[in-house]
Amino acid sequence: MLRVEKILFNYAERLQGTEDFPVVGWQIQSDRNHVIQKSWRLQVSEDAGFAEPVYDSQRVESAQSQHIHLREIALMPSRRYFVRVKISDNDGECSEWSQAAEFVSGLPAECWQGKFISAEEPADKVISKGTLLRNQLHLAKLEDIASVFVHASALGIYQLYCNGRKVGNDELTPGWTSYDHQLLYQTYDLTPLVKAGDNVLGASIGAGWYKGDMSFNRYRNYYGERTAFICQVVINYKDGTRQLWGTDEHWQSSYSPVLFSEIYDGEIYDARLEQPGWNMAEFDAGKWRAVSVIDADLTVLRAQGDATVQQIETIAPVSFFTTPKGERVIDFGQNLTGWVAFSVKGRAGDKVVLRHFEVLDAQGNVYLANLRSAKQRIEYTLKGAAEEHYHPRFTFQGFRYVKIESWPGEFSLSQVTAVVIHSQMRQTGEFVCSNPDLNQLHHNILWGLKGNFVDVPTDCPQRDERLGWTGDAQIFCRTASYLMQTRNFFAKWLADLRYDQTPEGAVPHVVPDILTGKSDNDLNLANGGTVAAAAWADAAVINPWTMYLMYGDRETLRQQYASMKGWVDFMRNHAVDNQWRYKLQFGDWVALDAREGSYFGATPDDLICMAYFALSTLLFAKAAKALGEEDDYQHYFALHQAIVESFQREFFTATGRLAVRTQTAHILALYFNLVPEAYRAKTVAGLMELLAEHDGHLVTGFVGTPYFCHALSENGQVDAAWQLLLKDDFPSWLYQVKAGATTIWEHWDGVKPDGTMWSPDMNSFNHYAYGAIGEWLYRAAAGINTREDEPGFKHSILRPLPGGGLEWLKARYSSVYGDICVHWQQEAQTVTLEVDIPANTRSTLILDGAQTLLDANGIAFAPMDGGYSAEVGSGHYRAIFQRENR
Ligand code: BGC
């Protein structure tokens, strides 16, 4: 049975707002092996029954089932579209029409008639109070109406209501972007919420990233001084006409019960100030104030159709206890990002005060010091109703524990739940094996992602930072893209990176960039030290390249092409003999071979700068090739060769020794292929020696750590890679696991073996960077990889590396084509391998280290250097082999 399943629009299953016809892809199911699509046909319709399709591709002879561009189809703004697909395969089988998938079109900037309106006065610029906005929309009768959509955005954060009900499931909209260049608007279907007669649209507004108090430098009003809201309602009538209605000077405003809200500091809410029914038609808004129309640029409005922040899951508390100091603490058992939702009873004026934090100190008391200036505090004043329910809406906290500073009456655990928020993305990775510690490590990596993919890829979610540090996002990008469908999340952020790049091509340390021009009080960052750090700025190249590899996404490559080139050219323009340097470098950040108390690892900046210059230049050359930019390819490929030669001249001795004796230097040289082939064995031996000097432990930082296991396993040291991964004493990944971590720590020595902690000035317990080892779990241990010339797992390479004494390992990666599964079991030297390969893809199956094939199940394996390999099509396969002694 041949079936078309899961139609994707711009790589998402649900797209709410797009101005261009989205890139389409679909997945295929079949009960046969070796299925290749022969032809496809696609219809687009405005009615679910496809009575009158607006587009019919007719039969297209093509194997392409992803990345299909139908840009020629012009979209009407604010409409729902249905798409269905049917295909035939290489066996002559034809599918039925797929189930219809749907998306909603957005509203291009030139169609907006709504105006930005504000409830704030100029004097409000120094405070972060909440405001409310409302207006009434009269709809004579519903029978004539086909659909009603609303497109909305804000300078600040908005929550939108229609007739008393919240519109959509999104939180913290419109999210955080480089607002002066792109301000996202969200699209919602109002059809089920409107009624005949008077309807009320109401918006509740908070300061958010737009005008709030941000960065460790603690500046406010980065983007503006007054919050504002804009929306455009589009009423589509059945006769084909449409009516527009939106924000204008006729709206009314009021302050809200939110007395204070800040991303880092939390929220103060006085329920006594609530105005029941404020967002419903019956409400008397006679005392409400007029609004001010704000003169803001509408041309920066862009549709956000996917990856909005939402409430994703809830977690019940596991215990409530009193610390030795007498503090009352709730433990949720998981370090997470979001907020506490609670219900409470009491008298009007009673207060709930909560402080959120990550860890207890060595004595078991509340530890707030590592939050630095972030207060993470919620204050709720009761109105005295029978039961009151509350959660904050304009802030979020990073926490596992909550200290109760005030609670009226008896507290019971049933009154609180933790709500986990993050950008909504499909989970694509699953990993489970016979080693429970590794499973916990995988869990911690996943929760590092959940905690830090809150609209922007942040370094951490708890202290006064939560910034889009480019280095962290670069290091973790590939791991994140195994774990979840990150394409739209990163495409959005990369657009900001592009916008915030300097005219010279330098990439800021944080994106959106709120450090440049606002860091003069910071010794390191002052005087232009906010851009162009090796490994950080390289996000400009590595992240789009990763989108291409993981999803076959040429769109993002194309969109970022000039930005990628700009960054490579920046390095070249600052280089002498291919060595470049620029103001502040972070080096091998927080490596353990740093001088006591320093954050800067021992590997010299020169080496790291040059190694990344080589890598980014090579990846850019490859990107040029993928996009058919042949001249650029030739040019940058040659530049890469020259950089490698300079690196070798500079850092290798005449006898083939790598002159910089650090683990990270060796890792980069090996992993980035900067080693003269004749010296490879010597370099590997050098790395093994450096590992032995630390009794098999790593002392690497942000730069060396992600590649350590790869540098070993790709150079004949698979066992050493496993040993490194499975170390569980200090310092190691599993040391944290053994210490009870539920997310990844910023420092190997966040909590030291003697129970003392790294200095509170920089000690996050939810920092995903070292979680970059996740890539090794999927790509090496499970062996799920893609070919670069057929990216997006169109042609996968499955080369698992059984080892580490594990009995078994199972991993699943949901590629855009469908699920790829690997399951291996090992007993002594015998390995049983089972794999699943999705329809319309092929795979190179490699049995690493196989000496004897015990059962090939009809797969035509051929011997290769160090094992066996076979080319296979889609289907389920099983092989048993005897492995050589490693
Ligand atoms: C962040 C890091 C970041 C670094 C730059 C820190 O404050 O938390 O993760 O990459 O600064 O070196």
Side-chain angles (χ1 to χ4, degrees):
M1 225 309 247
L2 186 68
R3 265 203 328 265
V4 173
E5 292 204 338
K6 207 179 275 182
I7 297 181
L8 303 173
F9 301 119
N10 287 351
Y11 305 88
E13 282 169 61
R14 213 172 148 264
L15 194 62
Q16 286 276 111
T18 175
E19 289 170 24
D20 298 312
F21 201 91
V23 177
V24 184
W26 53 84
Q27 296 180 359
I28 299 167
Q29 281 291 337
S30 166
D31 41 18
R32 285 192 313 106
N33 283 5
H34 303 284
V35 172
I36 294 290
Q37 177 185 285
K38 186 113 193 319
S39 70
W40 57 268
R41 181 176 172 192
L42 180 149
Q43 287 184 338
V44 183
S45 171
E46 285 193 45
D47 68 288
F50 287 84
E52 283 177 61
V54 293
Y55 175 82
D56 190 334
S57 69
Q58 301 300 340
R59 185 181 161 104
V60 179
E61 298 295 324
S62 164
Q64 202 182 340
S65 57
Q66 289 291 340
H67 322 298
I68 293 177
H69 289 260
L70 298 163
R71 285 269 154 85
E72 71 272 18
I73 310 175
L75 293 177
M76 298 285 290
S78 305
R79 294 285 174 92
R80 185 180 304 284
Y81 286 91
F82 298 89
V83 173
R84 65 180 184 177
V85 174
K86 72 196 296 191
I87 60 164
S88 70
D89 71 9
N90 52 338
D91 200 38
E93 195 175 343
C94 293
S95 76
E96 298 291 324
W97 280 113
S98 67
Q99 287 217 330
E102 51 185 84
F103 69 88
V104 178
S105 57
L107 189 68
E110 64 274 13
C111 302
W112 285 71
Q113 292 177 1
K115 300 166 183 166
F116 278 100
I117 53 168
S118 180
E120 289 195 313
E121 306 291 333
D124 292 335
K125 79 173 210 186
V126 292
I127 49 162
S128 292
K129 282 177 77 162
T131 57
L132 301 175
L133 297 154
R134 79 189 296 279
N135 200 5
Q136 237 153 261
L137 162 69
H138 188 82
L139 295 173
K141 47 183 179 168
L142 294 187
E143 298 82 76
D144 302 340
I145 294 174
S147 58
V148 184
F149 290 99
V150 62
H151 311 276
S153 188
L155 307 175
I157 294 174
Y158 75 88
Q159 296 243 317
L160 181 62
Y161 299 85
C162 177
N163 296 330
R165 288 173 56 193
K166 177 159 173 358
V167 177
N169 297 322
D170 298 335
E171 302 290 345
L172 303 175
T173 44
W176 188 13
T177 49
S178 178
Y179 296 123
D180 297 335
H181 300 100
Q182 62 162 351
L183 174 64
L184 302 184
Y185 67 85
Q186 290 70 39
T187 296
Y188 302 105
D189 188 357
L190 282 187
T191 322
L193 297 180
V194 292
K195 53 184 179 128
D198 287 336
N199 293 272
V200 165
L201 248 74
S204 175
I205 310 290
W209 299 277
Y210 181 81
K211 69 164 256 198
D213 188 0
M214 291 294 301
S215 115
F216 41 83
N217 294 321
R218 288 301 211 160
Y219 278 88
R220 55 181 305 117
N221 305 115
Y222 277 91
Y223 300 95
E225 300 185 345
R226 290 160 87 179
T227 57
F229 173 69
I230 187 167
C231 80
Q232 189 71 68
V233 174
V234 179
I235 304 149
N236 294 308
Y237 289 96
K238 288 182 179 156
D239 65 3
T241 58
R242 89 181 173 196
Q243 181 192 346
L244 296 183
W245 182 88
T247 39
D248 61 16
E249 51 284 357
H250 302 301
W251 283 54
Q252 288 178 290
S253 72
S254 165
Y255 286 112
S256 83
V258 177
L259 298 179
F260 171 93
S261 77
E262 286 285 355
I263 299 287
Y264 302 147
D265 293 333
E267 206 160 288
I268 300 178
Y269 185 96
D270 189 339
R272 295 171 302 184
L273 303 176
E274 285 175 357
Q275 304 181 58
W278 69 273
N279 45 22
M280 293 164 85
E282 301 71 37
F283 182 75
D284 174 9
K287 295 207 182 73
W288 281 39
R289 293 177 282 123
V291 296
S292 325
V293 172
I294 301 274
D295 183 23
D297 184 6
L298 262 62
T299 64
V300 296
L301 287 168
R302 308 259 184 288
Q304 181 182 31
D306 180 45
T308 45
V309 175
Q310 295 186 351
Q311 302 187 23
I312 303 290
E313 58 195 295
T314 55
I315 293 199
V318 293
S319 67
F320 176 53
F321 58 91
T322 304
T323 67
K325 277 191 182 162
E327 301 142 322
R328 295 189 298 163
V329 171
I330 310 166
D331 178 7
F332 285 95
Q334 172 64 52
N335 200 4
L336 62 93
T337 299
W339 50 65
V340 174
F342 59 81
S343 52
V344 64
K345 284 182 194 164
R347 290 189 309 266
D350 283 351
K351 279 188 197 298
V352 172
V353 178
L354 306 176
R355 298 294 300 274
H356 305 67
F357 65 102
E358 291 186 289
V359 288
L360 299 166
D361 69 11
Q363 288 70 44
N365 293 312
V366 172
Y367 186 73
L368 300 174
N370 71 327
L371 306 175
R372 302 196 307 216
S373 70
K375 292 197 182 60
Q376 297 221 109
R377 179 178 182 277
I378 295 298
E379 178 181 321
Y380 175 85
T381 305
L382 279 73
K383 59 190 168 201
E387 185 163 54
E388 302 179 34
H389 304 275
Y390 171 78
H391 68 76
R393 288 173 173 80
F394 303 106
T395 181
F396 58 89
Q397 286 80 44
F399 64 102
R400 168 176 166 169
Y401 300 96
V402 170
K403 175 186 175 201
I404 299 184
E405 291 190 345
S406 171
W407 189 276
E410 279 289 292
F411 170 76
S412 118
L413 278 185
S414 63
Q415 291 173 283
V416 292
T417 325
V419 178
V420 178
I421 62 154
H422 58 81
S423 296
Q424 177 271 321
M425 293 169 286
R426 187 162 61 91
Q427 188 173 332
T428 49
E430 272 171 32
F431 175 96
V432 55
C433 69
S434 56
N435 182 322
D437 291 340
L438 263 194
N439 294 339
Q440 181 67 37
L441 175 66
H442 180 267
H443 169 99
N444 295 1
I445 298 169
L446 180 63
W447 277 86
L449 184 158
K450 291 181 181 185
N452 284 294
F453 277 45
V454 179
D455 208 60
V456 161
T458 59
D459 54 336
C460 55
Q462 73 300 81
R463 68 178 178 227
D464 52 4
E465 212 153 342
R466 314 182 192 190
L467 303 175
W469 282 97
T470 45
D472 307 45
Q474 178 272 109
I475 291 163
F476 192 62
C477 182
R478 188 87 182 262
T479 296
S481 307
Y482 272 107
L483 294 170
M484 293 208 188
Q485 222 313 342
T486 63
R487 192 272 188 176
N488 292 336
F489 175 83
F490 274 122
K492 159 193 177 283
W493 182 73
L494 283 167
D496 290 324
L497 182 148
R498 189 174 80 215
Y499 291 131
D500 285 350
Q501 218 163 342
T502 69
E504 223 193 335
V507 178
H509 302 330
V510 302
V511 171
D513 182 13
I514 55 167
L515 295 182
T516 301
K518 301 273 188 187
S519 295
D520 289 344
N521 54 357
D522 186 301
L523 218 62
N524 284 323
L525 299 172
N527 304 320
T530 57
V531 297
W536 271 250
D538 296 281
V541 175
I542 294 169
N543 290 42
W545 176 252
T546 305
M547 297 301 103
Y548 170 74
L549 275 186
M550 296 300 283
Y551 310 121
D553 169 28
R554 281 186 172 76
E555 281 288 282
T556 307
L557 269 195
R558 204 166 283 124
Q559 172 192 297
Q560 298 300 124
Y561 191 75
S563 151
M564 297 166 84
K565 191 175 187 173
W567 169 238
V568 173
D569 287 347
F570 178 92
M571 291 188 278
R572 191 184 51 183
N573 293 338
H574 285 81
V576 176
D577 191 21
N578 296 309
Q579 288 189 52
W580 74 277
R581 68 184 67 199
Y582 198 74
K583 300 176 181 173
L584 175 65
Q585 296 297 316
F586 299 115
D588 192 16
W589 186 247
V590 298
L592 284 174
D593 57 10
R595 268 177 291 112
E596 185 59 32
S598 164
Y599 295 113
F600 301 93
T603 308
D605 290 346
D606 286 354
L607 185 142
I608 295 174
C609 285
M610 210 171 182
Y612 268 94
F613 184 22
L615 177 70
S616 281
T617 305
L618 178 64
L619 296 185
F620 177 66
K622 289 180 179 185
K625 194 170 183 68
L627 296 180
E629 301 283 350
E630 194 54 32
D631 289 353
D632 277 352
Y633 168 67
Q634 298 289 349
H635 179 80
Y636 287 91
F637 192 77
L639 175 61
H640 170 253
Q641 293 291 105
I643 302 167
V644 173
E645 281 160 25
S646 300
F647 184 95
Q648 296 177 345
R649 270 199 307 278
E650 189 66 28
F651 296 111
F652 279 90
T653 66
T655 55
R657 209 161 35 82
L658 180 54
V660 175
R661 281 201 87 252
T662 65
Q663 292 178 348
T664 290
H666 285 69
I667 292 164
L668 293 187
L670 286 167
Y671 188 69
F672 292 1
N673 281 315
L674 304 170
V675 181
E677 225 20 70
Y679 302 158
R680 185 169 286 273
K682 222 173 193 168
T683 313
V684 176
L687 180 56
M688 295 299 287
E689 214 174 275
L690 287 161
L691 200 49
E693 281 173 20
H694 294 278
D695 191 24
H697 293 100
L698 42 64
V699 290
T700 48
F702 272 34
V703 166
T705 303
Y707 314 124
F708 208 148
C709 286
H710 291 292
L712 292 169
S713 61
E714 289 181 5
N715 287 285
Q717 298 294 339
V718 175
D719 286 342
W722 274 106
Q723 279 160 20
L724 178 65
L725 173 70
L726 294 176
K727 277 264 168 215
D728 61 6
D729 57 342
F730 175 78
S732 63
W733 286 283
L734 297 188
Y735 164 74
Q736 305 181 4
V737 166
K738 294 276 190 206
T742 58
T743 39
I744 301 288
W745 299 351
E746 179 175 23
H747 291 266
W748 297 118
D749 48 2
V751 180
K752 301 178 197 193
D754 65 4
T756 60
M757 289 191 205
W758 177 270
S759 134
D761 68 350
M762 184 103 64
N763 199 12
S764 146
F765 292 92
N766 195 356
H767 231 77
Y768 55 54
Y770 289 153
I773 187 63
E775 177 187 340
W776 195 83
L777 299 180
Y778 283 94
R779 187 154 78 83
I784 303 175
N785 205 352
T786 181
R787 272 178 65 139
E788 289 185 2
D789 55 353
E790 292 188 71
F793 300 84
K794 175 74 176 154
H795 187 149
S796 57
I797 300 170
L798 303 183
R799 182 184 197 152
L801 299 177
L806 267 62
E807 285 157 30
W808 56 270
L809 179 153
K810 274 185 192 178
R812 178 180 65 82
Y813 172 66
S814 295
S815 77
V816 289
Y817 293 96
D819 287 4
I820 300 171
C821 304
V822 169
H823 175 196
W824 55 252
Q825 300 171 67
Q826 55 176 349
E827 209 183 325
Q829 296 306 313
T830 305
V831 177
T832 306
L833 174 67
E834 287 182 71
V835 300
D836 285 298
I837 299 156
N840 211 27
T841 71
R842 290 181 300 149
S843 184
T844 305
L845 202 55
I846 300 177
L847 309 181
D848 190 78
Q851 216 161 33
T852 322
L853 276 175
L854 299 179
D855 187 352
N857 271 294
I859 312 168
F861 281 106
M864 58 174 273
D865 193 18
Y868 281 85
S869 81
E871 299 295 315
V872 292
S874 64
H876 178 87
Y877 302 96
R878 184 159 178 265
I880 306 177
F881 61 95
Q882 193 86 37
R883 220 177 51 182
E884 66 196 9
N885 264 328
R886 269 202 295 257

